[in-house]
């Protein structure tokens, strides 16, 4: 039997990646490696929500759940940028 699991992914990955790309301009001192670290830190602070299709996830969410996701993203991304920035500053000294 042949299985194909390529569509399975963590729902938050795309959201985090897109937000990091958007916020990168606000952090010109961040290297590509640092931005990848920001993604890792943020994703590790979010629950894993695996889906096959993002639209399926959005269809089943209530408005309150969507708002909670947006708030969670804001919190973890703010933390991740601060965390990576502080760690980088400490290693540069």
């Amino acid at each position: 039997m042949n299985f194909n699991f390529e569509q399975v992914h963590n729902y938050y990955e795309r959201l985090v990646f897109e937000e990091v790309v958007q916020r990168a301009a606000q952090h010109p001192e961040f290297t590509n490696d640092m931005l990848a670290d920001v993604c890792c830190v943020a994703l590790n602070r979010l629950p894993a929500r695996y889906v096959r299709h993002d639209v399926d996830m959005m269809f089943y969410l209530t408005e309150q759940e969507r708002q909670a996701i947006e708030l969670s993203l804001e919190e973890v991304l703010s933390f991740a940028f601060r965390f990576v920035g502080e760690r980088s500053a400490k290693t540069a000294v």
Side-chain angles (χ1 to χ4, degrees), residues 39-47 72 75-77 79-80 83:
C39 290
C40 291
V41 170
L43 286 167
N44 282 326
R45 296 181 67 84
L46 290 165
S72 294
E75 289 174 2
V76 300
L77 286 165
F79 173 85
F83 180 83

Side-chain angles (χ1 to χ4, degrees), residues 23-35:
R23 295 175 188 217
Q26 299 168 359
H27 301 276
E29 72 282 8
F30 277 51
T31 64
N32 286 342
D33 285 341
M34 291 170 70
L35 293 173

Side-chain angles (χ1 to χ4, degrees), residues 68-83:
I69 286 173
E70 289 177 19
L71 182 60
S72 294
L73 281 171
E74 179 58 39
E75 289 174 2
V76 300
L77 286 165
S78 294
F79 173 85
F81 272 100
R82 190 170 54 254
F83 180 83

Side-chain angles (χ1 to χ4, degrees), residues 12-92:
Y12 287 108
E13 287 176 354
R14 183 184 55 80
L15 296 176
V16 167
F17 297 158
E18 288 175 358
E19 277 296 314
V20 168
V21 167
Q22 285 184 356
R23 295 175 188 217
Q26 299 168 359
H27 301 276
E29 72 282 8
F30 277 51
T31 64
N32 286 342
D33 285 341
M34 291 170 70
L35 293 173
D37 288 344
V38 168
C39 290
C40 291
V41 170
L43 286 167
N44 282 326
R45 296 181 67 84
L46 290 165
R49 298 207 57 179
Y50 286 92
V51 296
R52 285 184 49 218
H53 306 287
D54 289 350
V55 293
D56 292 341
M57 173 82 170
M58 292 306 293
F59 179 76
Y60 291 107
L61 291 176
T62 66
E63 187 59 34
Q64 288 176 322
E65 289 171 319
R66 283 189 194 101
Q67 289 175 350
I69 286 173
E70 289 177 19
L71 182 60
S72 294
L73 281 171
E74 179 58 39
E75 289 174 2
V76 300
L77 286 165
S78 294
F79 173 85
F81 272 100
R82 190 170 54 254
F83 180 83
V84 171
E86 288 172 358
R87 295 282 186 225
S88 176
K90 286 181 182 179
T91 59

